């Protein structure tokens, strides 16, 4: 899944430590060179909506894009709190949900996915809940996630979710207050249909002391954008920010295998540092007294992880976004289902990998969102000090074929 939604969680938390590897499971150690070299693909536009000249389709902040079995696209807008639906030919056929607290309503959603019964599940961050809608947009109940009660000293936020191959997984933070401190558990869990936890896939804990708080980029790191579900229901997750390592789990959390490849840390340039700092400062303004921020010196080894319908695992690294040849937006590392480094795929497009966002829908389809990052940062208030938000172009959505 494309986990833009993951960045929402950075507003809320700090954490420590990581998961451990079990020596008993298969571990694939890849070399730096993929077995089948580099493949070039290009994005062929089929239709586009949004942008400055499309008054009928205005987008705030696109949080997620998913497709149904007929090829319709569902565009979740985290700022407008609605889901725009587009037919395969680009016609807008409906708008699902709306902002509010009633049936079928939500505020500042972070993710969306389809449940096994075909309902659309919309993930609201806080208070954490999953709103279910049918394909016509009618309220269809709520997934039974237990968020807790802040008045009783404990609550949870939800950041993302997905359901595929018989597995439903949720990602978020459980929190309790005690003695002036906030005790937190970051989680990626497999869950049952009744909302109970089937097994923990990745978890980290932290204690946040509001009397001595620093919003540290390394501390708030988790697998928010670095996990995905395979067609067979297995869960892939990269738990470490500064190690190129992926774990493969069953829905109950059992570790099935791991794989890695060599990767040297990528030092941040000034523009990268400034963007990360701007994002953290925007998050800090959510606190009554904004805490100081601390930015890492390097980019995460793995930026995002997506598992496609053919079982291939597509990983975007920090280097895959930067320093690309002319005409190349992004370069993905592609692994097979067991973790063998199969190939690299260079995506040719008239777009900037550091400013625009690509949602991989299937092996043959992707959706390009232009002006993504400027609009996202402005939506979070990252340009507040300079009034940069006033100059941000609206997001533009382009449905594309992946042409080889």
């Amino acid at each position: 899944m494309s986990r833009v939604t993951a960045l929402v969680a950075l507003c809320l938390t700090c954490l420590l430590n990581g998961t451990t590897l079990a020596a008993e499971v298969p571990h694939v150690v890849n070399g730096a060179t993929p077995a089948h070299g580099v493949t070039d693909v290009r994005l062929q536009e089929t239709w586009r909506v949004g942008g400055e000249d499309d008054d009928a389709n205005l987008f705030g902040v696109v949080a997620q894009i998913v497709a149904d079995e007929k090829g319709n696209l569902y565009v979740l807008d985290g700022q407008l709190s609605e889901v725009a639906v587009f037919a395969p030919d680009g016609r807008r056929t409906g708008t699902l949900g709306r902002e509010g607290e009633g049936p079928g309503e939500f505020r500042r959603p972070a993710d969306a996915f389809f449940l096994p019964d075909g309902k659309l599940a919309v993930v609201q961050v806080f208070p954490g809940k999953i709103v279910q809608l049918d394909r016509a947009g009618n309220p269809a109940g709520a997934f039974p996630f237990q968020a807790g009660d802040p008045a009783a000293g404990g609550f949870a936020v939800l950041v993302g979710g997905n359901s595929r191959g018989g597995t439903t997984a949720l990602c978020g933070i459980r929190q309790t207050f005690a003695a002036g401190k906030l005790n937190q558990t970051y989680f990626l869990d497999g869950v049952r249909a009744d909302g109970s936890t089937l097994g923990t896939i990745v978890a980290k804990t932290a204690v946040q002391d509001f009397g001595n708080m620093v919003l540290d980029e390394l501390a708030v790191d988790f697998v928010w954008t670095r996990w995905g579900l395979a067609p067979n229901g297995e869960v892939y997750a990269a738990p470490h920010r500064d190690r190129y390592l992926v774990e493969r789990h069953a829905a109950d959390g059992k570790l099935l295998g791991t794989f890695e490849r060599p990767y040297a840390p990528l030092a941040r340039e000034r523009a990268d540092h400034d963007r990360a700092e701007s994002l953290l400062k925007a998050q800090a303004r959510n606190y009554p007294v904004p805490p100081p921020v601390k930015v890492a010196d390097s980019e995460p080894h793995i930026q995002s992880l997506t598992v496609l319908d053919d079982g291939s695992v597509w990983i975007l690294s920090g280097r895959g976004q930067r320093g690309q040849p002319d005409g190349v937006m992004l370069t993905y590392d592609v692994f097979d289902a067991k973790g063998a480094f199969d190939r690299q795929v260079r995506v040719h497009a008239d777009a900037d990998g550091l400013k625009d966002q690509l949602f991989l829908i299937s092996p043959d389809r992707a959706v390009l969102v232009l002006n993504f990052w400027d609009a996202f940062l402005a939506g979070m208030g990252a340009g507040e000090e300079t009034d940069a938000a006033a100059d941000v172009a609206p997001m533009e959505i382009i449905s594309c074929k992946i042409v080889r």
Side-chain angles (χ1 to χ4, degrees):
M1 72 192 247
S2 173
R3 290 289 172 280
V4 175
T5 60
L7 295 174
V8 178
L10 295 175
C11 304
L12 306 170
T13 55
C14 66
L15 59 95
L16 305 170
N17 218 349
T19 58
T20 57
L21 288 179
E24 298 81 7
V25 302
H27 177 56
V28 179
V29 180
N30 292 283
T33 303
H36 296 102
V38 178
T39 300
D40 289 285
V41 303
R42 63 183 177 86
L43 300 183
Q44 178 179 302
E45 178 180 334
T46 56
W47 53 264
R48 72 169 63 198
V49 293
E52 295 181 345
D53 298 325
D54 185 358
D55 294 336
N57 293 291
L58 298 175
F59 302 100
V61 176
V62 174
Q64 180 62 281
I65 300 176
V66 295
D68 65 15
E69 66 282 352
K70 296 181 179 180
N72 300 299
L73 285 184
Y74 295 73
V75 179
L76 176 67
D77 195 313
Q79 183 172 328
L80 300 182
S81 296
E82 64 183 28
V83 181
V85 185
F86 295 92
D89 62 3
R91 291 178 298 109
R92 184 162 183 165
T93 58
T95 301
L96 312 184
R98 64 182 181 182
E99 186 172 9
E101 299 178 359
E105 298 176 341
F106 39 82
R107 296 185 190 278
R108 305 295 289 186
D111 203 0
F113 58 96
F114 287 107
L115 291 163
D117 60 5
K119 295 173 185 174
L120 181 67
V122 178
V123 178
Q124 176 180 286
V125 177
F126 180 78
K129 69 176 182 178
I130 299 176
V131 176
Q132 298 178 161
L133 303 168
D134 67 19
R135 301 295 177 90
N138 299 307
F143 187 85
F145 174 74
Q146 300 301 314
D149 182 2
F155 65 96
V157 299
L158 278 176
V159 177
N162 202 358
S163 189
R164 194 180 194 189
T167 295
T168 298
L170 299 177
C171 193
I173 311 158
R174 296 185 179 92
Q175 309 184 96
T176 59
F177 292 101
K181 295 181 180 180
L182 185 64
N183 301 295
Q184 301 174 310
T185 299
Y186 289 32
F187 67 88
L188 171 60
D189 287 349
V191 297
R192 299 183 180 90
D194 64 1
S196 63
T197 299
L198 175 63
T200 295
I201 298 156
V202 184
K204 298 183 180 181
T205 60
V207 177
Q208 190 174 103
D209 184 352
F210 289 105
N212 186 30
M213 183 179 172
V214 175
L215 195 59
D216 188 333
E217 183 185 9
L218 293 179
V220 300
D221 178 74
F222 193 55
V223 297
W224 311 120
T225 59
R226 304 194 304 262
W227 73 277
L229 292 185
N232 64 0
E234 293 179 351
V235 186
Y236 291 78
H240 306 288
R241 182 188 188 277
D242 296 325
R243 184 180 178 188
Y244 199 119
L245 177 96
V246 178
E247 299 178 352
R248 181 167 56 89
H249 291 259
D252 62 2
K254 180 181 178 181
L255 185 62
L256 303 175
T258 62
F259 61 89
E260 65 179 315
R261 61 153 293 194
Y263 191 90
L266 177 62
R268 274 186 166 143
E269 297 182 357
R270 173 51 58 182
D272 295 321
H273 180 279
D274 289 348
R275 181 168 71 167
E277 184 177 62
S278 180
L279 179 61
L280 286 176
K281 286 182 176 179
Q283 295 155 9
R285 286 195 288 271
N286 288 283
Y287 295 88
V289 178
V293 302
K294 184 178 180 181
V295 178
D297 294 328
S298 63
E299 287 293 317
H301 284 27
I302 293 176
Q303 302 279 358
S304 68
L305 183 156
T306 304
V307 187
L308 296 185
D309 293 341
D310 59 4
S312 59
V313 182
W314 289 54
I315 291 178
L316 181 64
S317 72
R319 287 184 171 83
Q321 286 185 293
R322 294 162 176 81
Q324 298 300 299
D326 289 344
V328 174
M329 176 188 179
L330 301 166
T331 296
Y332 288 91
D333 296 339
V334 181
F335 298 80
D336 68 17
K338 298 299 183 182
F341 191 10
D342 181 71
R343 65 193 185 278
Q344 288 184 312
V345 176
R346 292 191 300 209
V347 180
H348 292 252
D350 185 15
D352 186 331
L354 290 173
K355 294 182 178 181
D356 307 313
Q357 179 77 4
L358 189 65
F359 291 82
L360 296 172
I361 303 299
S362 73
D364 299 312
R365 188 181 188 188
V367 179
L368 177 62
V369 181
L370 300 181
N371 309 315
F372 177 89
W373 282 104
D374 285 347
F376 179 86
L377 292 172
M380 292 195 66
E384 184 173 303
E385 294 100 335
T386 61
D387 292 327
D391 300 324
V392 172
M395 291 188 179
E396 189 168 3
I397 296 174
I398 307 174
S399 177
C400 303
K401 291 182 179 179
I402 299 177
V403 180
R404 293 166 175 81

